Amino acid sequence: MSTQGHATSTRVDEIADGIFRISTPVPPSIVPGGFTFNQYVIRDDEPLLFHTGPRMLFGAVRDAVERILPLSTLRYISFSHVEADECGSLNQLLAAAPRAVPLCGQVAAMVSIGDLADRPPVALADQASVALGRHAVQWIDAPHLPHGWECGFLFETATRTLLCGDLFTQFGESHPPITEDDILEPSEAGRLAMDYYSHSPDTGRLLDRLADTAPATLACMHGPAWRGDGATLLRSLAARLASAPPRH
Ligand SMILES: [Fe+2]
Ligand SMILES: [Fe+2]
């Protein structure tokens, strides 16, 4: 995969108070159907970046963060699970941001990040919170949802924004930064073509726990962010996953 030449189209949009979506499109020649890689910055006393992007997007993500705040002031670099687009350029960012530390769940720290990262991570237990200033984030363990034993999500409590990673992934390279339109059907269409879910027995229970946070904004990693009744949408996804077995 090469995304060189496309990074210039990286855009930055504020999708909730003090929360910025960085999005880089890639064309169908690189990912079938076209795709977007999104990262989110929470601008506060202790700034947080959620997802790093793959290593080949490091320059684009670095420059986009600099449009929001000085990269050197980053305090936390967090991510849902260990994959290239979630945390591939973690060490490049740690080198560029001397105050920053990785922030992840305990399983990610134990299995991967304690070894892979150039600085030790802060490992959060399920439901543990970190104050950033006027924002705060809570880590929610979500093993294997949609994939990865170490998977989890951050919920930002001041804006009720769920940084929901790969949930509701939508293909396509052109999206608005945030939408109130339905994202369940387009994301389900993508999932049925390329099923990235582990379909663990806990999937429904974990989605129910995420719904209990009653998010008002879903900060999706691939596709537009979404604004609306997040609890209902998450429970609708749980129903679809329970009723529609994966196509292999
Ligand atoms: Fe993933
Ligand atoms: Fe992803």
Side-chain angles (χ1 to χ4, degrees):
M1 178 171 81
S2 170
T3 56
Q4 281 175 2
H6 303 286
T8 51
S9 49
T10 300
R11 63 179 293 168
V12 175
D13 298 274
E14 188 171 11
I15 55 102
D17 186 14
I19 302 183
F20 296 81
R21 173 183 179 267
I22 298 169
S23 185
T24 303
V26 297
S29 57
I30 296 175
V31 176
F35 209 47
T36 49
F37 291 105
N38 305 333
Q39 302 81 37
Y40 291 88
V41 169
I42 303 178
R43 187 170 64 189
D44 213 317
D45 299 338
E46 305 285 12
L48 181 146
L49 173 67
F50 193 68
H51 294 144
T52 70
R55 290 195 303 163
M56 61 190 56
L57 283 187
F58 168 66
V61 172
R62 176 197 58 206
D63 294 350
V65 171
E66 288 277 1
R67 289 158 62 184
I68 304 164
L69 46 78
L71 183 65
S72 61
T73 66
L74 264 188
R75 182 72 179 96
Y76 298 111
I77 301 173
S78 190
F79 47 88
S80 171
H81 50 276
V82 180
E83 280 182 338
D85 54 340
E86 275 79 4
C87 61
S89 64
L90 176 61
N91 285 332
Q92 288 157 291
L93 284 160
L94 288 173
R99 293 183 70 234
V101 291
L103 184 72
C104 59
Q106 292 179 328
V107 173
M110 175 182 70
V111 173
S112 295
I113 301 303
D115 180 75
L116 292 179
D118 287 342
R119 283 202 288 281
V122 172
L124 297 177
D126 182 41
Q127 312 269 356
S129 291
V130 175
L132 305 177
R134 59 193 189 89
H135 299 86
V137 287
Q138 180 180 36
W139 176 261
I140 302 172
D141 276 342
H144 309 292
L145 175 66
H147 47 245
W149 178 27
E150 71 283 1
C151 193
F153 303 101
L154 283 182
F155 178 63
E156 197 293 300
T157 54
T159 60
R160 309 204 69 77
T161 298
L162 181 65
L163 297 150
C164 67
D166 288 340
L167 300 182
F168 304 104
T169 285
Q170 289 179 65
F171 287 82
E173 58 181 305
S174 179
H175 299 283
I178 187 161
T179 182
E180 297 182 5
D181 292 345
D182 176 58
I183 60 170
L184 178 61
E185 294 307 326
S187 66
E188 279 294 275
R191 183 182 70 80
L192 291 173
M194 192 181 287
D195 195 354
Y196 50 89
Y197 272 71
S198 298
H199 298 280
S200 90
D202 277 344
T203 295
R205 184 184 66 81
L206 293 171
L207 282 167
D208 212 45
R209 288 186 68 212
L210 294 175
D212 285 344
T213 65
T217 300
L218 297 179
C220 303
M221 185 177 189
H222 307 288
W226 181 84
R227 188 184 294 128
D229 177 354
T232 296
L233 187 69
L234 286 157
R235 292 195 168 101
S236 299
L237 173 60
R240 290 295 289 270
L241 290 166
S243 66
R247 215 173 54 176
H248 291 299

